[in-house]
Amino acid sequence: MLDTLDAAAVRRWCAGGLVALKRHQGEIDHLNVYPVPDGDTGTNLVLTLTSAQQALAMERDKLPDDGPTPHGQALRLMARGALLGARGNSGVILAQILRGFADALAAVPVVRGRALAAALRAAATAAYAAVAAPVEGTLLSVVAAAARAAERAGRDELGAVARAAADEATQALGRTPQQLPALARARVVDAGGRGLCLLLDALVEVVTGERPARAELTGRSPHPPADDSRERSGSTYAYEVQYLLDAEPAAVARLREELGALGDSLAVVGDGAVSGGTWNVHVHVDDVGAAIEAGVVAGRPHRIVVTRFADPPRPPTSPGPEPAPATRAAVVVATGDGIVELCTAAEATVLEGVSSTDELLTVVRATGAAHVVVLPNDPETRAMANDVARAASELGVKVSVVPTRSPVQALAALAVRDPGRPFEDDVIAMAEAAGACRYAEVCHASRAALTVAGPCRPGDVLALVDGEVHLIGADLLDTCTAVVDRMLGGGGELVTLLVGADAPAGLTEAVREHVVRSWPFVEVQVYLGGQPHHPLLVGVE
């Protein structure tokens, strides 16, 4: 039994909650009937919390110093990860719940029962504030009930307050069909509320060491359809639009009004920055262009996702489409607007980052092809892709993984793709082209370290060739030209330069001029890659 909620407990809570959501992912997907019966709430919650856990894992040894307590810092990382990876209406609301929780506890020296109750109240308040038109009988009702029960407990024993909140959340979940006629007609409880109950039960298990005993939930409600004149009909719009937005709070306030006039199911949540923050925007509309254009006016939208509700949902737990025997597709995992455009132009499906095997499998199956080649572009995603290949074979889909480690290798592979030859031969040709493309990455060191090229300090320019540090420099341009020279010293006829989002003006022009001057028989191709963290990616073939 824990007396206080510390940073280690926060990490265990996130991990335990994610395990529970994955275990019940299919069940929650099937409960999803409101506001749109698109069967993806379980999947969206899993993806959202996966992003939260990844944020915790990546920053484990270098927590930000914007909070005075380790547990507060861990909660803020968890909340920000959820914000950046939130999917769907339920994911956006969950991200806001976590943010309210984190904001309330960041400066609390010791988190006991009363502090937990205050955090749940802040989470409920934040969740309601995120939604333009709150509806009872949803995730909002469940978190509000949990907060009320925690406050009524009126004690400082952490385990007792956590149990009270989780127990009342389960009771509130059972009442959701009485509050929302759409649930009563389908005889189900609210999908998002079910996910929150699992997270609160995971918190109880972390704090007390015991998993709450719950009756097995079938998702079916005993309540008959209600005749309620207050019923909201749910979304009647054709599209779901979601994107991240870098913008000022004042601009976001205007954006809320504009999107509210365009559609419904509007939820906008931010990271709490006083200025220049990041926001996750979600809305159901008919006019996709107007929704995105409103984001462009407000700031810089990115990671834009548009879903047409008329399309059948394809969560990982559903049977999925029958693959057409003669069709084939390519799936590329890559980040950067320019890289995405290049791969899309090569008729590949692009996934901008992947958080789970299930997410990658969903994209592979959504192609509807019988033969799919996956280009992962990093070792971790390659491991996921191999798991997907095994899982897809059981569904009648042949997946082959070309082990690319950089987007420049993926572009080289896509350049030789030929649907006219046998699939196996095509995969071999793509793998050979990728293997023949040596790659380099130029970035800045974030901390002091000892590399194979010697010690580096924070801010040094690093040039990695085929994944190993080869050069350490002080000047970005000098290091870029030096690494190109080193690579061409081993031979090569074609140099591909992908310009990063943070590259200074004139960098690639200077590198190109250097290559033309020093290596006159080498062809140079320059593209705006837009990738983060690496001002320049280099491929040599």
Side-chain angles (χ1 to χ4, degrees), residues 193-204:
R194 171 59 169 150
L196 181 64
C197 287
L198 291 171
L199 290 180
L200 291 175
D201 281 349
L203 178 60
V204 171

Side-chain angles (χ1 to χ4, degrees), residues 5 13 75 94 96-105 111-128 139-153 158-169 196-197 199-201 203-204:
L5 189 71
W13 175 37
L75 285 167
L94 175 60
Q96 190 72 342
I97 287 173
L98 292 174
R99 180 191 155 188
F101 203 89
D103 287 349
L105 296 178
V111 179
R112 295 195 173 94
R114 288 186 175 85
L116 177 61
L120 286 169
R121 171 54 58 198
T125 301
Y128 274 86
L139 171 59
L140 298 175
S141 302
V142 177
V143 69
R148 287 194 298 269
E151 290 170 332
R152 284 197 304 266
L158 185 63
V161 174
R163 280 197 190 97
D167 289 346
E168 182 56 32
L196 181 64
C197 287
L199 290 180
L200 291 175
D201 281 349
L203 178 60
V204 171

Side-chain angles (χ1 to χ4, degrees), residues 50 256 284 327 330 342 390 401 427 437 466:
T50 296
R256 287 179 190 268
H284 295 173
T327 59
L342 290 170
R390 288 189 287 270
V401 180
V427 171
C437 178
D466 295 339

Side-chain angles (χ1 to χ4, degrees), residues 156-490:
D156 232 11
E157 184 186 344
L158 185 63
V161 174
R163 280 197 190 97
D167 289 346
E168 182 56 32
T170 300
Q171 294 298 316
L173 177 66
R175 295 191 294 268
T176 55
Q178 302 173 51
Q179 299 171 290
L180 193 57
L183 302 178
R185 281 198 305 273
R187 295 184 180 273
V188 297
V189 296
D190 180 66
R194 171 59 169 150
L196 181 64
C197 287
L198 291 171
L199 290 180
L200 291 175
D201 281 349
L203 178 60
V204 171
E205 187 172 0
V206 167
V207 171
T208 68
E210 298 176 357
R211 181 178 300 176
R214 305 285 185 210
E216 188 63 29
L217 179 67
T218 64
R220 292 293 174 182
S221 165
H223 302 286
D227 181 14
D228 189 343
S229 61
R230 297 171 300 161
E231 174 184 355
R232 297 179 59 86
S233 62
S235 182
T236 58
Y237 293 92
Y239 297 93
E240 176 187 60
V241 178
Q242 187 166 5
Y243 49 81
L244 293 180
L245 178 70
D246 297 334
E248 298 293 333
V252 173
R254 293 190 295 271
L255 175 68
R256 287 179 190 268
E257 295 181 4
E258 188 167 350
L259 292 181
L262 287 174
D264 67 6
S265 293
L266 174 62
V268 182
V269 301
D271 59 6
V274 176
S275 64
T278 299
W279 308 78
N280 196 311
V281 179
H282 172 279
V283 67
H284 295 173
V285 294
D286 285 329
D287 192 340
V288 173
I292 296 175
E293 184 178 353
V296 173
V297 172
R300 186 180 76 87
H302 50 107
R303 207 181 296 178
I304 301 169
V305 178
V306 178
T307 302
R308 189 168 74 102
F309 292 130
D311 293 335
R314 298 189 183 106
T317 54
S318 68
E322 286 295 324
T327 59
R328 62 176 70 171
V331 173
V332 182
V333 180
T335 303
D337 294 344
I339 294 174
V340 171
E341 290 180 7
L342 290 170
C343 294
T344 302
E347 299 182 343
T349 298
V350 185
L351 183 58
E352 293 192 67
V354 58
S355 58
S356 69
T357 300
D358 284 345
E359 183 183 14
L360 182 55
L361 178 59
T362 299
V363 173
V364 166
R365 296 172 67 192
T367 65
H371 299 85
V372 181
V373 60
V374 176
L375 299 102
N377 293 330
D378 70 70
E380 183 177 344
T381 306
R382 178 184 175 184
M384 291 185 192
N386 289 333
D387 291 339
V388 166
R390 288 189 287 270
S393 65
E394 300 177 3
L395 304 172
V397 180
K398 170 67 175 178
V399 174
S400 293
V401 180
V402 173
T404 53
R405 295 186 290 172
S406 171
V408 292
Q409 290 187 321
L411 293 175
L414 291 172
V416 301
R417 186 172 169 227
D418 182 3
R421 58 187 167 208
F423 177 71
E424 290 76 12
D425 293 344
D426 205 30
V427 171
I428 292 172
M430 293 175 72
E432 289 176 345
C437 178
R438 288 168 291 140
Y439 70 96
E441 307 157 282
V442 180
C443 62
H444 289 89
S446 60
R447 63 180 186 275
L450 182 62
T451 74
V452 294
C456 70
R457 297 168 299 177
D460 283 348
V461 182
L462 307 181
L464 292 78
V465 178
D466 295 339
E468 292 285 352
V469 177
H470 276 227
L471 295 170
I472 301 173
D475 181 81
L476 179 61
L477 175 58
D478 290 345
T479 306
C480 289
T481 55
V483 74
V484 172
D485 286 343
R486 177 166 296 195
M487 295 177 75
L488 286 174

